[in-house]
């Protein structure tokens, strides 16, 4: 019986060696170790053997079965591999340079991007965000900011009127008044928003965006104004950017300053953008005028504060190298999709 | 304001070059916007003296002159008749350039001419070419004429801020330069009246002391109106003032120099020798110098005589009382008018002049007006002859003169953050003419000069100290503060999230003007009576506040289509404006998006797939879901005129009406020449952001497997798949886990008015694995229910 098993194994292995196809393998598998295979038959025969022989023969059958299975597996694998290789060899070529499938890439408007960035910087040094209406009352936009009726400073801000009392806010500064009327110091607030002036040319659009900011507390000084705005400008334009403060005038701040940065286009050497001065004006600021504190009922002896206004279009133009402010509101997708 | 460098040098020695000076001015608050060089239109012209004039032997009209320049004598042929021996004249020597032409030694009718005598026209400084320019007798020969006439100059264009009217003059700027360079003014800024002046009988009646606190007048007799001297004309023109006649030019010249507007009346037009400063009567009219007949309101301040108005005070003179060629006797006016009154008049009449500009900002209310009138009188005497009477100075009040101010050094420190001692403050303020004395308590009592009308409070002095010290002298410090919680506002963080979602789905954010054309609104049927109009729009296109973002977005679509970009996905998140029923102004933030055209812009196998409403619906639902709002439904709405009547739906979030979704009316496409259908949603962002968000809690996964069964049927076209799904859910919500539409078909093989719908129902229990049998029981119920509820045939 052992010899028979051995010869079955030998036959089987020889046949496996000679297979030509997967079907051959399956056939051989059936013939030897399938349900009606010859080796399976041997297992069934075991019970006819004397008890003392069964153990040895059984082991021999097992050895044979394992070896056949192993060889079958090996052969099978070889065929799979060949088949795969053929498949890959004959696969249709793929043009990987064809574009991927996706909707066109959207963009957030550059004005929004720059606003978000400014807000985040000030948030990072403890300022919170406030807002106010765009159709504003004369009082908040002018009178409470030390610009009574018939004040020549109103000429600096040509105004769109809705009626005799209501107007389109000419700056985001009225938010200052609205916040201060409702809250007591300490205050650290920024107010991004839309403003309007009756002005339209290459460098002015009748609608534009500003971020107003202010800080009021006991002990806020002009040195703090310089410190906070320098931190902001260094963060926005880079640490190496030179910043200068020069005297100016706004009715609602005193002393007032205009803040210049070294021209980002020519690095201070002088070019068309900075009008050959090497400097670019980027924001206006100052110590809040005591008259303004009076109009919101703050103790002017106790509290001091600074305020500033940043033109967002201006910063966006410098950031992205945009030379015509009107592009922002034309909404040409060739423009919008660049940012 | 334009300022001449050479003119400033009349009052101040300047040791630095104009560019360095410009930088210093800018850093002290007088922002120099532009520095330009004035250059003469010629070169190589010098002064010469005519020694002799002889007739040209071969030409009647020409003469032969010998002209001396230094030691040399030149022979010049000249055709002008106005020259005499010993006259000083401009001589262009060979090599000189006159209006682009080079002068050479030449032979004229046989006589050599070694140059050319010049008229003002040839020098480019006038239009008189009939005669040679005769120079004063007392000048040397050989002077460069360009230098002599002041034709080489540097002009500063300075942005004077509204608080500094004292700098609206040459002397004002000179004073400022003196302060910042710490160098003294050359003294003779103040002019004493001529002692020979006689009294004159003139009656000045200021009836509005609130509007005119001081009025000085001077009569000058025997003037001869004519041309201004060349140097004056050149200076005026270099600052952009046109020369008119000697007297008028002198009033302008003195105004530019001293900041005090002056006016000259023809004395003979003044009835009864009386000047009345009064308000206009209603209906009163005056013809102003520019020839306009102007109707005046009762707020307008007038200079009048006993009968009629002579001038609009501080703004413009009347043409009937103006100085003409025949004028022999003039009345010079130098007054202080209150700024607000002049500003109001100038605005009402829409008439702004050099004079009104200065008065409305505030001229020096002190004695400068006397210095100005005497300066003008002395110039008139030398340029137009005549003799002056004593100035009549009527003072009603000194209320505009800056008050005495107490300055505390501790306050300086509190505002500026830097210790500036009393002595230093005194020195700094002294440089700008502020006299001060120290108080025992440590404060300074400061008297600003009368021209600093802006300095009225302690803070104004602190500003001056900071400015004169130089802003760069203050260090940059970060404030020490009490910590407090700062987070980005909920609305803003939601806005950012919404923008990011739209961006990630291919949408470009646009920002349109808040004002819009009323014509465009009409296209959309939005021209209702709740609109907010602008009283003074720049154009019709920007005359009404937008009540909706849609017209702007459609205009963007049209604009881009015209530039061959027809496939568009855009959105805007911004305010709209309208009046509610009680006429209250409403500002409402909206989120609107639209899409039109191809679904993919870079597809190679699905190149003609068009966007449809479900692309946009998916975005809207994605946004809403990401904000934690689960309940979205669509309602029939009162269709706005601009929406497609059969394809427009109200958007309900948690049962609250939040906007709409649908297709734009094809009529609007047609009107705006847009070819593809446009899909649009508009959401009330204020409302959307305020809707309560669902809190998210973890839910364990289902433990037991699910089994799906498909079901397909024909159903009437009007039946909504959502309704079918809702009904199925009610059958057994414990075991029906989910229902999806996986096919929708209309067309061939489907009866007319029907559609084929295929649903996949997912069965699952939370307690156990459902058996086939259990599922079949439920599924049969589903089929039965659908058959009875909707007239349909399950296939």
């Amino acid at each position: 019986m052992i010899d028979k098993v051995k010869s079955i194994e030998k036959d089987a292995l020889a046949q496996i060696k000679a297979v030509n196809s997967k079907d051959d393998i399956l056939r051989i598998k059936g013939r030897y170790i399938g349900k009606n295979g010859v080796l399976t038959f041997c297992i069934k025969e075991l019970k006819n053997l004397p008890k003392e022989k069964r153990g040895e023969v059984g082991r021999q059958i097992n050895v044979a079965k394992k070896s056949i299975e192993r060889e079958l597996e090996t052969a099978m694998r070889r065929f799979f591999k060949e088949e795969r290789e053929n498949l890959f060899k004959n696969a249709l070529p793929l043009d990987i340079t064809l574009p991927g499938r996706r909707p066109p890439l959207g963009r957030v408007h550059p004005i929004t991007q720059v606003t978000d960035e400014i807000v985040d910087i000030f948030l990072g040094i403890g300022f919170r965000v406030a807002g106010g209406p765009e159709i504003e009352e004369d009082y908040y936009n002018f009178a409470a900011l030390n610009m009574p009726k018939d004040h020549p400073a109103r000429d600096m801000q040509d105004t769109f009127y809705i009626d005799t009392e209501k107007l389109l806010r000419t700056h985001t500064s009225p938010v200052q008044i609205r916040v201060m009327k409702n809250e007591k110091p300490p205050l650290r607030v920024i107010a991004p928003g839309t403003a309007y002036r009756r002005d339209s040319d290459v460098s002015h659009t009748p609608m534009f965006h500003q971020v107003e900011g202010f800080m009021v507390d006991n002990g806020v000084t002009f040195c703090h104004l310089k410190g906070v705005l320098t931190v902001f400008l260094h963060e926005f334009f880079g640490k190496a950017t030179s910043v200068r403060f020069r005297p100016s005038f706004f009715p609602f701040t005193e002393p007032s300053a205009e803040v210049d940065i070294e021209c980002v286009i020519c690095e201070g050497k002088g070019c068309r953008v900075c009008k050959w001065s090497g400097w670019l004006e980027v924001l206006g600021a100052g110590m809040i005028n005591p008259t303004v504190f009076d109009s919101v009922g703050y103790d002017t002896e106790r509290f001091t504060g600074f305020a500033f206004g940043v033109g967002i279009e201006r910063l966006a133009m410098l950031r992205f190298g945009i030379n015509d402010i009107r592009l922002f509101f034309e909404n040409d997708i060739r423009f919008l999709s660049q940012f | 304001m334009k300022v001449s460098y050479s003119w400033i040098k009349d009052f101040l020695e300047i040791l630095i070059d104009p560019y360095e000076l410009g930088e210093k001015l800018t850093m002290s608050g007088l922002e120099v916007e532009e520095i330009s060089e004035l250059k003469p239109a010629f070169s190589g012209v010098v002064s010469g003296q005519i020694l002799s004039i002889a007739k040209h032997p071969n030409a009647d009209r020409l003469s032969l002159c010998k002209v001396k320049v230094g030691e040399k004598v030149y022979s010049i042929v000249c055709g002008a008749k106005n020259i005499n021996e010993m006259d000083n004249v401009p001589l262009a020597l060979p090599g000189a350039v006159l209006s682009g032409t080079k002068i050479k030694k030449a032979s004229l009718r046989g006589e050599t001419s070694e140059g050319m005598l010049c008229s003002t026209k040839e020098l480019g400084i006038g239009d008189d070419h009939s005669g040679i320019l005769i120079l004063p007798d007392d000048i040397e020969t050989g002077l460069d004429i360009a230098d002599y006439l002041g034709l080489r100059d540097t002009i500063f264009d300075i942005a004077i801020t509204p608080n500094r009217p004292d700098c609206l003059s040459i002397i004002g700027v000179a004073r400022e330069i003196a302060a910042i360079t710490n160098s003294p003014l050359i003294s003779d800024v103040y002019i004493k009246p001529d002692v020979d002046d006689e009294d004159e009988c003139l009656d000045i009646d200021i009836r509005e002391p609130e509007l005119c606190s001081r009025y000085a007048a001077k009569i000058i007799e025997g003037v001869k109106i004519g041309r201004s001297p060349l140097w004056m004309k050149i200076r005026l023109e270099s600052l952009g003032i046109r020369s008119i006649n000697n007297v008028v030019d002198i009033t302008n010249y003195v105004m530019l120099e001293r900041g005090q507007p002056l006016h000259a009346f023809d004395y003979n037009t003044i009835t009864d020798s009386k000047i009345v400063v009064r308000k206009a009567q209603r209906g009163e009219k005056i013809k102003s110098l520019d020839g306009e007949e102007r109707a005046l309101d009762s707020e307008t301040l007038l200079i009048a005589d006993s009968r009629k108005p002579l001038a609009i005070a501080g703004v413009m003179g009347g043409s009937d009382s103006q100085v003409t060629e025949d004028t022999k006797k003039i009345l010079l006016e130098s007054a202080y008018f209150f700024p607000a009154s002049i500003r109001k008049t100038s605005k009402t009449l829409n008439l702004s002049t050099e004079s009104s500009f200065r008065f409305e900002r505030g001229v020096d209310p002190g004695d400068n007006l006397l210095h100005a009138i005497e300066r003008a009188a002395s110039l008139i005497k030398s340029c137009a002859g005549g003799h002056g009477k004593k100035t009549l100075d009527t003072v009603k009040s000194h209320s505009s003169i800056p008050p005495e101010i107490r300055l505390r050094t501790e306050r300086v420190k509190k505002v500026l953050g830097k210790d500036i001692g009393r002595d230093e403050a005194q020195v700094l303020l002294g440089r700008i003419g502020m006299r001060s004395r120290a108080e025992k308590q440590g404060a300074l009592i400061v008297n600003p000069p009368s021209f600093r009308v802006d300095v009225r409070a302690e803070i104004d002095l602190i500003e001056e100290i900071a400015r004169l010290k130089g802003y760069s002298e203050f260090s940059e410090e970060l404030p020490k503060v009490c910590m407090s919680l700062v987070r980005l506002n909920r609305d803003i963080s939601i806005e950012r999230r919404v923008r990011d979602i739209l961006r990630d789905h291919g949408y470009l954010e646009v920002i349109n003007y808040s004002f819009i054309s009323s014509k465009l609104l009409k296209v959309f049927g939005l021209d209702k009576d709740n609109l907010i109009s602008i009283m003074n729009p720049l154009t019709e296109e920007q005359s009404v506040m937008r009540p909706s973002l849609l017209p702007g977005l459609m205009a963007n679509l049209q604009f881009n289509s015209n530039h061959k970009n027809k496939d568009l996905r855009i959105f805007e998140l911004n305010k709209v404006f309208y009046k509610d029923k009680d006429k209250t102004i409403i500002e409402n933030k909206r989120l609107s998006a639209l899409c039109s055209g191809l679904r993919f812009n870079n597809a190679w196998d699905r190149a003609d797939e068009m966007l449809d409403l479900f692309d946009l619906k998916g975005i809207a639902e994605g946004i809403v879901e990401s904000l934690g709002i689960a309940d979205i439904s669509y309602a029939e709405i009162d269709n706005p005129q601009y929406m497609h009547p059969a394809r427009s739906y109200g958007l309900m979030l948690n049962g609250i009406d939040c906007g709409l979704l649908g297709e734009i009316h094809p009529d609007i496409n047609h009107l705006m020449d847009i070819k593809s259908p446009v899909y649009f949603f508009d959401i009330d962002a204020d409302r959307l952001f305020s809707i309560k968000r669902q809190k998210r809690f973890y839910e364990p996964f289902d433990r037991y497997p699910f089994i799906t069964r498909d079901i397909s049927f024909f159903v009437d076209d009007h039946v909504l798949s959502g309704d079918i799904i809702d009904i199925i859910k009610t059958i057994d919500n414990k075991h029906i886990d989910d229902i999806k539409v996986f096919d929708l078909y209309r067309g061939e093989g489907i009866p007319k008015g029907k559609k084929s719908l295929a649903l996949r129902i997912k069965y699952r229990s939370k307690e156990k694995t459902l058996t086939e049998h259990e599922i079949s029981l439920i599924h049969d119920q589903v089929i039965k229910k659908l058959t009875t509820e909707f007239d349909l045939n399950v296939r």
Side-chain angles (χ1 to χ4, degrees), chain B residues 692-705:
Chain B
K692 215 170 169 288
R693 299 165 76 162
Q694 249 174 2
K695 287 216 171 93
R696 299 182 207 262
F697 284 108
Y698 166 69
E699 261 181 59
F701 310 140
D702 292 311
R703 286 178 60 192
Y704 301 99

Side-chain angles (χ1 to χ4, degrees), chain B residues 156-197:
Chain B
F156 294 88
D157 201 344
I158 307 180
I160 307 283
T161 52
N163 61 324
R164 293 301 304 273
D166 63 296
C167 288
L168 294 172
S169 65
I170 300 293
I171 288 185
V173 175
R175 269 192 308 245
E176 200 62 23
I177 297 170
I180 57 181
T181 57
N182 206 6
S183 53
L185 279 187
I186 297 168
S187 58
D188 80 327
V189 171
Y190 302 119
I191 314 280
K192 288 207 181 78
D194 195 327
V195 285
D196 299 337
D197 291 354

Side-chain angles (χ1 to χ4, degrees), chain B residues 483-744:
Chain B
M483 250 195 192
S484 63
L485 179 70
V486 178
R487 288 195 61 181
L488 193 58
N489 315 34
R490 181 172 179 270
D491 278 13
I492 298 176
S493 57
I494 297 177
E495 279 181 24
R496 287 188 180 182
R497 181 176 191 141
V498 166
R499 284 195 174 96
D500 286 351
I501 294 172
L502 281 156
R503 178 196 61 201
D504 294 346
H505 286 86
Y507 281 73
L508 295 169
E509 184 187 17
V510 302
I511 298 180
N512 283 299
Y513 287 139
S514 303
F515 19 65
I516 202 164
S517 148
S518 52
K519 277 187 210 140
L520 185 60
L521 287 180
K522 203 164 184 164
V523 170
F524 291 83
L526 288 165
D527 52 335
K528 299 194 186 120
D529 55 5
N530 64 347
L531 295 180
I532 298 167
S533 303
I534 295 167
M535 276 169 75
N536 54 339
L538 278 171
T539 64
E540 196 281 327
E541 274 70 46
Q542 303 172 351
S543 58
V544 182
M545 297 305 283
R546 59 177 171 190
S548 159
L549 299 178
L550 176 63
L553 290 169
M554 286 296 282
N556 299 149
L557 178 57
Q558 187 183 33
F559 176 90
N560 283 292
S561 283
N562 291 344
H563 290 86
K564 303 243 189 279
N565 288 308
K566 296 182 199 311
D567 310 311
L568 218 64
R569 290 171 168 89
I570 52 175
F571 77 99
E572 183 162 11
L573 176 51
N574 241 324
K575 280 180 176 175
V576 302
F577 306 82
Y578 57 90
K579 287 187 204 136
D580 72 1
K581 284 183 202 97
D582 336 319
K583 301 277 165 205
T584 313
I585 287 176
I586 304 291
E587 294 188 12
N588 175 209
K589 193 159 255 186
R590 311 290 300 193
L591 171 65
S592 297
L594 65 74
C595 63
S596 180
L598 293 173
R599 182 171 289 147
F600 298 100
N601 68 350
N602 59 354
W604 34 276
D605 58 343
R606 294 152 76 177
D608 0 309
E609 267 184 32
M610 298 297 280
L611 285 161
D612 65 31
L613 185 56
F614 292 93
D615 289 287
L616 194 65
K617 179 176 185 262
I619 306 280
E621 289 174 347
I623 290 168
V624 169
E625 256 183 60
S626 91
L627 297 185
I629 301 166
D631 178 8
I632 310 166
S633 57
Y634 299 89
E636 299 274 328
I637 47 160
D638 229 0
N639 215 6
Q641 192 183 315
Y642 50 80
M643 296 302 287
H644 192 301
R647 288 180 199 160
S648 144
Y649 308 90
L651 187 63
M652 310 291 287
L653 304 176
N654 285 1
I656 303 164
D657 171 15
C658 282
L660 58 79
L661 169 90
E663 187 180 326
I664 297 297
H665 200 296
D667 285 355
I668 289 184
N669 278 31
H670 181 74
L671 282 169
M672 298 187 79
D673 198 25
I674 291 163
K675 300 286 186 284
S676 303
V678 180
Y679 306 100
F680 170 69
F681 75 65
D682 173 48
I683 298 176
D684 184 332
D686 289 328
R687 216 172 264 183
L688 174 71
F689 297 169
S690 69
I691 289 178
K692 215 170 169 288
R693 299 165 76 162
Q694 249 174 2
K695 287 216 171 93
R696 299 182 207 262
F697 284 108
Y698 166 69
E699 261 181 59
F701 310 140
D702 292 311
R703 286 178 60 192
Y704 301 99
F706 64 83
I707 285 166
T708 59
R709 289 281 178 90
D710 291 351
I711 177 171
S712 74
F713 45 82
F714 295 154
V715 64
D716 192 279
D717 237 342
H718 293 290
V719 175
L720 303 179
S721 60
D723 290 349
I724 297 173
I725 288 170
D726 284 346
I727 292 231
I728 298 174
K729 276 183 183 158
T730 63
I731 294 170
D732 185 346
N733 65 3
K734 267 195 183 145
H735 298 119
I736 296 175
D737 194 57
D738 189 33
I739 306 147
K740 272 198 174 69
V741 176
F742 73 92
D743 191 37
L744 167 69

Side-chain angles (χ1 to χ4, degrees), chain B residues 82-95:
Chain B
N82 69 324
I83 45 174
N84 293 303
E85 286 177 3
M86 302 314 283
D87 276 351
N88 284 326
V89 289
L91 170 63
L93 292 170

Side-chain angles (χ1 to χ4, degrees), chain B residues 445-504:
Chain B
I445 304 296
V446 183
N447 280 94
S450 63
F451 53 82
R452 287 305 301 269
V453 288
D454 61 313
V455 178
R456 310 200 84 84
E458 190 180 32
I459 190 70
D460 302 322
L461 296 175
I462 295 173
E463 174 181 43
E464 289 303 312
I465 289 170
R467 195 170 73 82
L468 292 164
K469 183 91 185 149
Y471 282 6
S472 58
E473 294 298 307
F474 296 86
S475 56
E476 284 129 30
E477 289 168 20
L478 286 180
K480 292 179 179 61
V481 296
C482 244
M483 250 195 192
S484 63
L485 179 70
V486 178
R487 288 195 61 181
L488 193 58
N489 315 34
R490 181 172 179 270
D491 278 13
I492 298 176
S493 57
I494 297 177
E495 279 181 24
R496 287 188 180 182
R497 181 176 191 141
V498 166
R499 284 195 174 96
D500 286 351
I501 294 172
L502 281 156
R503 178 196 61 201
D504 294 346

Side-chain angles (χ1 to χ4, degrees), chain B residues 437-448:
Chain B
R437 59 179 197 275
E439 242 187 3
K440 277 198 188 108
Q441 292 90 332
L444 269 185
I445 304 296
V446 183
N447 280 94

